[in-house]
Amino acid sequence: MELRVVASLANDEKMIESFKKGEDIHKRTAADVYEVPIEEVTKEQRYAAKEVNFGVLYGMGVMGLASRKGITREHAREFIDKYFSVHHWIRDYIDSTKALAHNLGYVETLLGRRRYIPDINSGIQQVRAAAERMAVNMPVQGTAADLMKLAMITVQKGLPKVSPESKLLLQVHDELVLEVPQDDVSKVAKFITETMNSVYKLKVPVETEVSVGKNWGELEEYS
């Protein structure tokens, strides 16, 4: 979900196109960065792309990537530079979000929920850098959290009409856990998928996966 939010926030044309095609976003990133066909991307290349796709949003730099991947700083710098040449919209988003936070003292989610960043103009470089990372990350994770809350509210309101005996039990990160009578699994799965996919319109499609089982240990993908 977070990368779909990023694509929408940054208006990243590469990511938007990839999500609309239903591609593996990490494979697509690796293919663009390593300049190879997507079907030839290796597991190692995909993993490196995944690290950067998420890492840049949390302030991971050259040293962080080099340490996590066990590569030289030069290699890490080349990879990140290439990443931002492909996804320059992400770089623009990061820079503009930092500038906005410095100017206003806060950042907002797509739905307008605001978080103030008291240390964004701190005179201490380490404190200011941490505040900048927070400013970049909050609209992404915050928007994902907002969408999940909207989905929970919508599911809770509509579920009794679909399956009166079903219950929304809890939320775990980007998942909802429900208790559903066996005979109602099909219609509840359809309701959940349609609800979560349409709760808020991003610039990319949202895809929901449903798994069914007697307990978490026995869950299997439902289609």
Side-chain angles (χ1 to χ4, degrees), residues 2-3 6 10 12 15 29 33 48-62 64-65 68 76-77 79-85 87-95 98 129 132-138 140:
E2 290 181 5
L3 289 181
V6 169
D12 187 311
M15 281 191 174
T29 298
V33 171
K50 183 178 180 179
E51 287 282 307
V52 177
N53 269 334
F54 286 113
V56 294
L57 301 175
Y58 306 117
M60 184 178 68
V62 171
L65 180 61
R68 291 179 66 88
R77 186 180 303 280
F79 191 97
I80 291 176
D81 287 346
K82 179 64 176 178
Y83 177 87
F84 281 127
S85 72
H87 293 285
H88 56 86
W89 302 275
I90 301 294
R91 167 56 71 191
D92 293 342
Y93 163 75
I94 292 173
D95 291 343
K98 287 180 181 179
E132 288 179 343
R133 289 193 294 271
M134 187 184 302
V136 171
N137 178 250
M138 183 273 175
V140 179

Side-chain angles (χ1 to χ4, degrees), residues 7-73:
S8 297
L9 284 169
N11 197 28
D12 187 311
E13 295 178 8
K14 285 277 189 180
M15 281 191 174
I16 291 172
E17 179 184 12
S18 183
F19 278 126
K20 286 183 176 180
K21 288 181 177 179
E23 293 178 330
D24 180 318
I25 190 63
H26 304 307
K27 277 191 174 183
R28 168 46 58 197
T29 298
D32 290 339
V33 171
Y34 287 105
E35 298 181 347
V36 298
I38 191 169
E39 60 272 12
E40 295 181 13
V41 170
T42 66
K43 289 183 179 180
E44 291 75 17
Q45 290 172 333
R46 183 187 183 278
Y47 178 72
K50 183 178 180 179
E51 287 282 307
V52 177
N53 269 334
F54 286 113
V56 294
L57 301 175
Y58 306 117
M60 184 178 68
V62 171
M63 291 184 63
L65 180 61
S67 175
R68 291 179 66 88
K69 288 294 296 170
I71 58 179
T72 65
R73 293 183 186 180

Side-chain angles (χ1 to χ4, degrees), residues 32-206:
D32 290 339
V33 171
Y34 287 105
E35 298 181 347
V36 298
I38 191 169
E39 60 272 12
E40 295 181 13
V41 170
T42 66
K43 289 183 179 180
E44 291 75 17
Q45 290 172 333
R46 183 187 183 278
Y47 178 72
K50 183 178 180 179
E51 287 282 307
V52 177
N53 269 334
F54 286 113
V56 294
L57 301 175
Y58 306 117
M60 184 178 68
V62 171
M63 291 184 63
L65 180 61
S67 175
R68 291 179 66 88
K69 288 294 296 170
I71 58 179
T72 65
R73 293 183 186 180
E74 289 75 17
H75 186 188
R77 186 180 303 280
E78 288 175 4
F79 191 97
I80 291 176
D81 287 346
K82 179 64 176 178
Y83 177 87
F84 281 127
S85 72
V86 172
H87 293 285
H88 56 86
W89 302 275
I90 301 294
R91 167 56 71 191
D92 293 342
Y93 163 75
I94 292 173
D95 291 343
S96 63
T97 301
K98 287 180 181 179
L100 191 68
H102 280 291
N103 184 41
L104 299 178
Y106 63 82
V107 289
E108 293 181 332
T109 66
L110 273 176
L111 281 77
R113 184 159 59 89
R114 183 177 298 181
R115 177 172 183 174
Y116 286 88
I117 314 291
D119 295 325
I120 193 65
N121 291 310
S122 172
I124 304 173
Q125 192 277 331
Q126 294 93 331
V127 174
R128 186 173 63 254
E132 288 179 343
R133 289 193 294 271
M134 187 184 302
V136 171
N137 178 250
M138 183 273 175
V140 179
Q141 285 197 322
T143 295
D146 288 349
L147 299 188
M148 178 54 70
K149 291 178 177 65
L150 283 178
M152 291 173 68
I153 292 169
T154 307
V155 167
Q156 183 68 16
K157 287 181 177 179
L159 188 59
K161 301 175 185 177
V162 178
S163 174
E165 295 182 21
S166 293
K167 297 178 182 178
L168 174 59
L169 298 182
L170 70 157
Q171 173 227 344
V172 183
H173 301 299
D174 59 352
E175 299 179 1
L176 295 182
V177 181
L178 295 90
E179 189 174 75
V180 180
Q182 184 65 45
D183 292 342
D184 290 353
V185 167
S186 179
K187 59 183 179 180
V188 171
K190 182 175 184 293
F191 165 69
I192 292 296
T193 300
E194 292 176 350
T195 298
M196 297 191 73
N197 286 357
S198 62
V199 70
Y200 187 86
K201 187 173 179 59
L202 296 173
K203 294 179 180 178
V204 298
V206 175

